[in-house]
Amino acid sequence: VMLRLTFSIFVTTFLLQSALMSIQPLLTLYVGELSGQISYLSLLAGIVTAVSGFSNIFSAPFLGKLSDKIGPQRVLVMSLLFVGTMFAAHAFVDDVGQLLVVRFFLGFGLGGLLPAINTFLKKVVPPQFTGAAFGYNQTAQHIGSVTGPLWGGQIASAYSISSVFLVACGLLFLNASWVLFYRKRNEAAKQENG
């Protein structure tokens, strides 16, 4: 059970990182699409990218405390659903101002993702395997960092940048379902084992 649960956390980390990184190489292009080719495009794209970090600063401590209170899996599911919704909203903005607002709200959800995963991983792995488990989880994260931009670029080339946001949204919703499935499965296994 512990091995399956640990593997499910690695899958969660991979899916999360793949979805988040799918838009990274495209964000400047998207800002350019929305604003036209302006002379300060790089600066504007930097601001659009950074604004989610600003709201993340405020949400991470709150979501960390909430995770201690209600459990990391619940915070993770709520954050995945919220971030997925914000990714979908990216696809429907009409200008950079709207994109800035969506990115700002996105940061509030991002603050609950990796801390919840790491807390949950620490809870399920025996102390003698913690270092190895975090190493494998980091590997899953980096595999997601490699695959996300690759499939994101492919989808953007074949369809549109907006499509990438929608696919990433679907992946985040799928990830929330995955976490819920394993949460219920874990609870059922605990009840069987008494």
Side-chain angles (χ1 to χ4, degrees), residues 126-145:
Q128 66 269 27
F129 299 118
T130 303
F134 275 94
Y136 286 122
N137 198 50
Q138 192 74 17
T139 299
Q141 185 176 356
H142 288 300
I143 293 170
S145 293

Side-chain angles (χ1 to χ4, degrees), residues 119-131:
T119 301
F120 186 54
L121 184 60
K122 177 101 170 75
K123 282 184 175 187
V124 301
V125 174
Q128 66 269 27
F129 299 118
T130 303

Side-chain angles (χ1 to χ4, degrees), residues 49-104:
T49 303
V51 74
S52 62
F54 186 70
S55 51
N56 191 329
I57 290 168
F58 295 107
S59 70
F62 168 77
L63 292 172
K65 288 177 189 172
L66 186 62
S67 177
D68 291 337
K69 206 177 270 189
I70 67 170
Q73 285 177 298
R74 287 189 174 132
V75 170
L76 179 58
V77 168
M78 289 186 304
S79 295
L80 285 167
L81 293 174
F82 184 79
V83 170
T85 302
M86 290 297 101
F87 263 57
H90 281 70
F92 301 104
V93 299
D94 294 319
D95 59 47
V96 176
Q98 291 175 359
L99 183 61
L100 275 168
V101 171
V102 169
R103 297 283 302 167
F104 180 74

Side-chain angles (χ1 to χ4, degrees), residues 9 62 93 107 118 147:
I9 296 170
F62 168 77
V93 299
N118 289 333
T147 59

